[in-house]
Amino acid sequence: MAPGKRAQYKQAYRKEWETDDKLKAWISPCHGNSTRAMCKYCKCEVRAHHNDLLDHAKTQKHIRATSLHESLPVGQQKIDSVFKSTGSKVQDVNSTKVAELKLATHLAIHSPLSLADHLVCVCKSAFPDSATALRVKMGATKCTALVTRVLGPTFSEKLICDMKNRKFSILVDESTDCGNMKHLCIVVRYFSERQQCIITKYLGLIRIEDASANGLYTAVKEFFKTKGIQEENCIGFASDGASVMARNPDPSKLFKELHNFQEDIMSRIVNPSRKGKNTDWEHHIMHTDACFYGIEFQLACTTNQLPEACKTNIKERCKLFLVEAVREVIKRVPASGDHLEVLNLLAPTDDTEISFTKLLPEIKRLTKCSIGILENQWRARKYLAIPQAVISDTVKYWIYLLNYKDCAGNQQFEELAAAALCLLSLPISNAECERVFSQVKLLKNDLRTRLSTDTLDSLLHIRFNVRGDTRNAEDCCGSFNPDNDMLKKFTSDMYH
């Protein structure tokens, strides 16, 4: 060192800089040289002076490197930067999954799944200020996987879990779609303890090769085995029948109303002196002029200036129409008439011993309870003060009795009410199967003939569980919220 000159001061790297808000994200010590600092973003050395470090942070090179680092995918970032805010990242992932599940549900109900690519792009452009919308990445492949591996199976599993240990009835129908594939539709009807009502739900769609009776039976039996459903719990079966029935008729009133409807039509064309069963009514059809066509028809005939031959021709055609109407009504009623007559005995106002005696053989098939206990419960119900709103509905009445507890907290009518609800869940028409095939025709059309049975089944589960009978957007996919079971299934495994 030259005389008269002092040694130059050398600043060493200081550990406290790593807590400085302006430096901590990128600064690190330079190994082997304590007078230098290392920039993790720029991969360069900087003199270990505080002002030099601040100047480096303002350079264009460092700014570009910082921006590039923050935009990197999670897998390419440093592990410490990934796990700094784990909670918020998990929340973001879940909100994205929920959004994608909702969009997939909307498409399953209202549109082809192939529109997923376009719908996501529209959402991103329409809502640029939404972080969730910008994170959504769902094409047709992912949407199909969500429908067939997440949404559809979850709805199916929940239904089977709800009905698995309960007595149920099935409604079946077979049809051939536009792709020349034969399908068997299965609808289940049972009392749901969770929902506290008798429900009729779509259960499944089976592709079949053999449409004979034995083939259909084998297909249903194999379906039950695959789904883990106990076939011994099946107490009722329905196939074909009227497709114009009401969705939720009161079973105990149905027989009486059908009988009254049939008698009303017959009274217009059949001799009032006829007595006997429906088999001989055609032998007692009255003359055309003696038949009753209604007051309005008679007034029109009186005031109209048509020739008599024309009026007679019109009457004859009306008579033929009424005759055919009676035939069609009788054709639909007899198959289920016996059990409908039994259900009529379950009316809340019918508490006679004679009715109980007629019901007993049916009840004993459904419960192991002794006759004495069942009879005591039958007699005791007449002494309850039941709200009028409950008495007016047979199903609500027996649900009320099922949940009724005495002063000791015991279910006083448990055995009798449970058996009654099983009887009330017997099928009264297979109309729901016809509605399922109406949806199949809408889903599998000439433009979608390659739609597989699995995809079709999942789409039907989503439509009947989310939309149901409503056409209101607020009660349809707009109010649908995916549950935890769906989020758990939403993994990369759904593609396999």
Side-chain angles (χ1 to χ4, degrees), residues 317-332:
R317 291 169 62 186
C318 290
K319 175 184 171 182
L320 291 174
F321 172 81
L322 291 172
V323 170
E324 188 61 29
V326 174
R327 287 173 183 161
E328 292 299 318
V329 171
I330 292 176
K331 187 188 300 183
R332 284 160 169 77

Side-chain angles (χ1 to χ4, degrees), residues 61-85:
K61 176 184 177 181
H62 183 81
I63 293 172
R64 286 195 301 270
T66 302
S67 176
L68 179 63
H69 176 81
E70 291 177 349
S71 64
L72 284 174
V74 172
Q76 298 181 27
Q77 294 179 17
K78 296 290 184 179
I79 193 167
D80 57 345
S81 65
V82 173
F83 290 101
K84 281 181 180 178
S85 56

Side-chain angles (χ1 to χ4, degrees), residues 86-116:
T86 305
S88 61
K89 289 184 180 295
V90 171
Q91 188 175 3
D92 291 344
V93 170
N94 284 339
S95 65
T96 306
K97 286 184 175 182
V98 169
E100 290 175 347
L101 284 168
K102 286 190 172 187
L103 290 175
T105 302
H106 167 78
L107 290 171
I109 295 174
H110 301 290
S111 310
L113 303 184
S114 57
L115 291 181

Side-chain angles (χ1 to χ4, degrees), residues 434-463:
E434 302 296 341
R435 296 185 182 102
V436 171
F437 282 122
S438 294
Q439 291 296 318
V440 170
K441 289 179 181 178
L442 292 174
L443 288 168
K444 192 167 185 178
N445 50 42
D446 292 338
L447 299 177
R448 305 173 76 186
T449 55
R450 297 180 61 189
L451 201 62
S452 69
T453 302
D454 289 341
T455 304
L456 197 55
D457 179 53
S458 295
L459 290 170
L460 291 170
H461 273 295
I462 295 170
R463 288 196 171 203

Side-chain angles (χ1 to χ4, degrees), residues 176-296:
T176 304
D177 61 30
C178 63
N180 204 29
M181 292 173 59
K182 292 182 179 179
H183 287 115
L184 179 69
C185 167
I186 304 179
V187 173
V188 65
R189 179 177 167 86
Y190 69 102
F191 171 68
S192 171
E193 194 165 352
R194 179 172 60 87
Q195 299 185 37
Q196 286 291 294
C197 64
I198 293 177
I199 62 175
T200 305
K201 280 264 190 177
Y202 166 74
L203 181 60
L205 194 71
I206 311 172
R207 184 178 178 181
I208 56 174
E209 301 295 338
D210 182 6
S212 65
N214 288 333
L216 297 180
Y217 172 75
T218 303
V220 172
K221 192 172 182 179
E222 186 63 29
F223 177 81
F224 281 178
K225 184 178 178 180
T226 304
K227 298 295 184 180
I229 301 172
Q230 299 176 359
E231 59 180 287
E232 56 268 23
N233 285 339
C234 182
I235 60 172
F237 175 85
S239 63
D240 294 325
S243 61
V244 294
M245 294 255 189
R247 284 188 180 271
N248 296 297
D250 188 327
S252 71
K253 297 177 182 177
L254 185 59
F255 173 74
K256 186 176 180 180
E257 291 178 3
L258 287 174
H259 179 74
N260 291 342
F261 177 64
Q262 175 185 319
E263 288 295 322
D264 178 60
I265 301 177
M266 291 178 68
S267 66
R268 296 169 179 262
I269 58 174
V270 177
N271 195 313
S273 62
R274 175 194 70 93
K275 291 183 179 180
K277 297 185 177 180
N278 293 335
T279 54
D280 67 340
W281 67 275
E282 293 193 54
H283 300 294
H284 301 273
I285 296 177
M286 296 184 293
H287 187 270
T288 303
D289 291 330
C291 294
F292 180 69
Y293 306 104
I295 300 296
E296 188 174 1

